[in-house]
Amino acid sequence: MTPTSALKAQDATLPEFIWDDALIRRYDLSGPRYTSYPTAVEFNQNYPIEYMVKAAARSKASGRPLSLYTHLPFCAHLCYYCACNKVITKKRDKAMPYVERVLKEAAIQSKLFGVDRPVTQLHWGGGTPTFLPKDVMEHLMAGYGELFNLQTGEERDYSVEIDPREVDQDTLPTLWNLGFNRISLGVQDVNPEVQKAVNRTQPRAMTEAVLNEARRIGFRSINLDLIYGLPYQTPESFAETLEAVIEMSPDRLSVFSYAHLPERFYPQTRIQGDTLPSPQQKLAILHNTINRLLEAGYEYIGMDHFAKPDDSLAVAQREGRLHRNFQGYTTHSECDLVSLGVSAIGQTDDAYFQNNHDLPSWEAAIDAGQLAITKGVNLTRDDRIRRWVIGQLICQFRLDRQLFADVWNEDLNRYFADELSRLKPMVQDELIADDGNALQVQPAGRLLIRAICQIFDLYRKEGASQRFSRII
């Protein structure tokens, strides 16, 4: 039985959500978001390129489908809260040279991973992918069409991040014609005072116009991104933003917590600390947001994600098929990840590898006809087991002993004797229940799932979590 097929065999009955102030105070520490395991902190800073080449060969032999990620770093405007790897410029002519290099990199990687494997998932992230002029978008996708086995069927998940301020009358039709069928719109907040404070003025009407046009064209699973904890936000003001968003009725919502780290991210020095909501206000915003979205009919997928019951994300969770990777929650658990562009992270069944974070260095490697990978990690069998366990908990909110035995030919009680012992306080606090057959995350534990997952994280065993954001 494979880890992927085994997911479908499990009972994925999900609990409701409960907010418990005392438990939140006790467990709201720092911790990873588990878009990978091991996390990026554990990546080898001098990862040999030949390791990646061998990992790609093993991936190719598996014949698994591919997910294709492209990092497009350009932005015309600086959002002060942003911690992404980006290049701020008004010069659109920078886009084509970058894309030409991406295609050179893609030519190398397609040979390594296999040109015939179906690309069932594709994502453009940034930066601002819609910074690219129409002809550059078309050139990039045409190049991919020659190098990879792009799909046209309904089951494909081809998504792109969109800044509504960077959309003209051709943008959405162009993306649709290029094969994209899902979009994510950056909103953050519709309050003008908040928008001004983070240098992102974006009238509600602009966002609505893009969303409505996307629906008219045929895009599905439309996502809106919100951020709480920004300057001048209050529980009352964010509640108004939430009502506006609910009226827009996106299929999915991501509600991220802003982490103010100006010492690490220079743009955040433009944000004055005394304009930020207090920790108590942030908790109130999150509590109100979860309650209101559940009341409005959305399902709480986990972490900071919500979806309508008929959305593919919610369906996948109910059927035990939900997966998590560097793009967050996804329905395509069986894919290996080919990642292109500066700082992009790729993934196979037993390795992670990341491109150079520095744009000139990435460009120099590609111009020399080489891969630009500088960091990575090869997974041990123990890493793979723990990644699977954390994936079960963070995606399905359940860890079944028999399923674990079927997939890994190990006894959960023996393999994780120490972890199960350290989990007992959480069982007593009713974050998670253990009936002897399965661990089931309880209503109060869903919000604190990152704390539960940390118990099974070997690298956090010594409590070294200070490099991560707070769980809530």
Side-chain angles (χ1 to χ4, degrees):
M1 197 177 218
T2 67
T4 301
S5 64
L7 289 178
K8 298 169 187 175
Q10 90 181 47
D11 170 18
T13 307
L14 296 177
E16 293 301 314
F17 163 83
I18 286 178
W19 182 283
D20 188 310
D21 283 314
L23 292 179
I24 288 168
R25 282 193 297 273
R26 190 173 309 159
Y27 290 105
D28 183 20
L29 306 171
S30 299
R33 300 180 63 77
Y34 293 113
T35 52
S36 72
Y37 182 86
T39 67
V41 170
E42 274 71 56
F43 286 9
N44 175 358
Q45 302 300 304
N46 297 293
Y47 186 73
I49 286 177
E50 58 264 29
Y51 284 9
M52 178 270 182
V53 171
K54 290 176 181 176
R58 293 191 296 271
S59 169
K60 184 178 182 179
S62 78
R64 283 188 297 269
L66 292 179
S67 176
L68 183 59
Y69 173 75
T70 311
H71 188 76
L72 302 164
F74 303 107
C75 293
H77 313 278
L78 176 65
C79 301
Y80 296 159
Y81 55 79
C82 186
C84 298
N85 187 19
K86 59 199 168 293
V87 176
I88 308 300
T89 180
K90 301 280 189 188
K91 296 177 180 176
R92 308 281 164 168
D93 57 1
K94 285 183 178 255
M96 187 62 91
Y98 180 83
V99 161
E100 291 285 12
R101 288 187 174 99
V102 166
L103 289 174
K104 282 181 72 174
E105 183 183 25
I108 300 171
Q109 293 217 31
S110 70
K111 287 176 186 168
L112 293 175
F113 281 91
V115 297
D116 296 326
R117 296 166 68 182
V119 177
T120 56
Q121 188 176 42
L122 182 148
H123 185 76
W124 286 1
T128 306
T130 45
F131 175 94
L132 270 58
K134 177 183 174 183
D135 63 316
V136 181
M137 290 184 188
E138 291 170 340
H139 182 66
L140 178 56
M141 210 61 161
Y144 282 170
E146 293 173 6
L147 295 167
F148 295 98
N149 183 12
L150 301 186
Q151 301 296 289
T152 57
E154 279 294 308
E155 290 303 304
R156 78 188 189 284
D157 187 353
Y158 284 20
S159 60
V160 57
E161 296 169 14
I162 288 182
D163 180 346
R165 300 170 302 166
E166 294 289 329
V167 172
D168 61 26
Q169 69 273 16
D170 291 330
T171 306
L172 292 174
T174 297
L175 291 168
W176 180 259
N177 291 334
L178 290 177
F180 289 95
N181 57 2
R182 194 167 71 73
I183 61 171
S184 179
L185 302 180
V187 177
Q188 323 322 345
D189 198 320
V190 301
N191 183 289
E193 184 182 24
V194 176
Q195 290 182 354
K196 184 178 179 183
V198 298
N199 198 38
R200 190 185 175 107
T201 299
Q202 182 179 316
R204 172 182 170 176
M206 177 188 288
T207 301
E208 276 187 305
V210 173
L211 191 147
N212 291 337
E213 173 70 0
R215 279 211 183 98
R216 188 192 65 76
I217 291 172
F219 287 96
R220 57 177 170 77
S221 292
I222 296 172
N223 179 78
L224 293 190
D225 284 345
L226 299 177
I227 298 178
Y228 70 98
L230 293 176
Y232 301 109
Q233 284 179 343
T234 65
E236 294 74 23
S237 77
F238 201 78
E240 290 176 5
T241 284
L242 207 56
E243 291 308 312
V245 167
I246 289 169
E247 285 177 22
M248 295 185 216
S249 193
D251 304 288
R252 302 178 183 179
L253 270 167
S254 302
V255 187
F256 300 111
S257 170
Y258 170 63
H260 189 56
L261 300 167
E263 66 283 357
R264 283 181 58 190
F265 305 111
Y266 180 74
Q268 295 184 0
T269 60
R270 310 274 189 97
I271 292 176
Q272 302 304 311
D274 60 3
T275 66
L276 299 173
S278 68
Q280 292 76 18
Q281 285 180 308
K282 272 191 80 175
L283 280 177
I285 289 171
L286 179 60
H287 191 183
N288 297 343
T289 296
I290 295 173
N291 282 343
R292 182 67 187 97
L293 289 175
L294 292 176
E295 187 182 282
Y298 287 88
E299 291 190 3
Y300 181 43
I301 301 300
M303 303 277 288
D304 24 44
H305 287 67
F306 302 80
K308 289 182 177 178
D310 60 350
D311 184 80
S312 59
L313 216 55
V315 173
Q317 188 173 57
R318 284 196 297 275
E319 295 178 354
R321 295 183 291 105
L322 197 63
H323 182 63
R324 190 162 173 79
N325 65 16
F326 290 104
Q327 281 81 62
Y329 287 105
T330 171
T331 57
H332 290 260
S333 59
E334 72 284 5
C335 295
D336 286 341
L337 179 61
V338 175
S339 288
L340 305 166
V342 63
S343 73
I345 304 176
Q347 173 183 348
T348 65
D349 187 47
D350 58 8
Y352 295 104
F353 29 86
Q354 182 171 18
N355 277 345
N356 203 308
H357 198 270
D358 176 64
L359 182 59
S361 300
W362 174 84
E363 291 173 339
I366 303 304
D367 289 346
Q370 300 169 351
L371 290 168
I373 288 155
T374 57
K375 302 177 189 175
V377 63
N378 284 354
L379 275 65
T380 65
R381 183 170 185 269
D382 179 69
D383 288 334
R384 292 173 63 218
I385 288 173
R386 290 173 185 274
R387 177 175 65 184
W388 186 88
V389 164
I390 288 170
Q392 291 285 296
L393 290 168
I394 211 164
C395 294
Q396 325 304 339
F397 292 111
R398 180 178 169 86
L399 178 58
D400 186 281
R401 282 178 169 80
Q402 187 58 54
L403 185 56
F404 177 81
D406 291 343
V407 173
W408 296 106
N409 197 30
E410 298 278 0
D411 179 84
L412 188 85
N413 290 350
R414 269 202 303 272
Y415 198 93
F416 289 114
D418 178 58
E419 287 79 2
L420 292 173
S421 174
R422 289 190 290 122
L423 200 65
K424 284 178 181 174
M426 291 185 173
V427 173
Q428 289 166 355
D429 285 336
E430 297 184 353
L431 296 188
I432 191 164
D434 186 355
D435 65 1
N437 295 317
L439 299 174
Q440 177 75 57
V441 177
Q442 295 301 289
R446 296 189 70 176
L447 196 63
L448 295 161
I449 189 63
R450 288 161 69 184
I452 295 171
C453 289
Q454 276 195 83
I455 296 288
F456 294 91
D457 183 340
L458 187 66
Y459 303 95
R460 305 280 83 73
K461 202 169 183 178
E462 305 305 318
S465 296
Q466 66 275 9
R467 295 184 64 178
F468 300 97
S469 62
R470 289 182 77 83
I471 286 170
I472 299 178

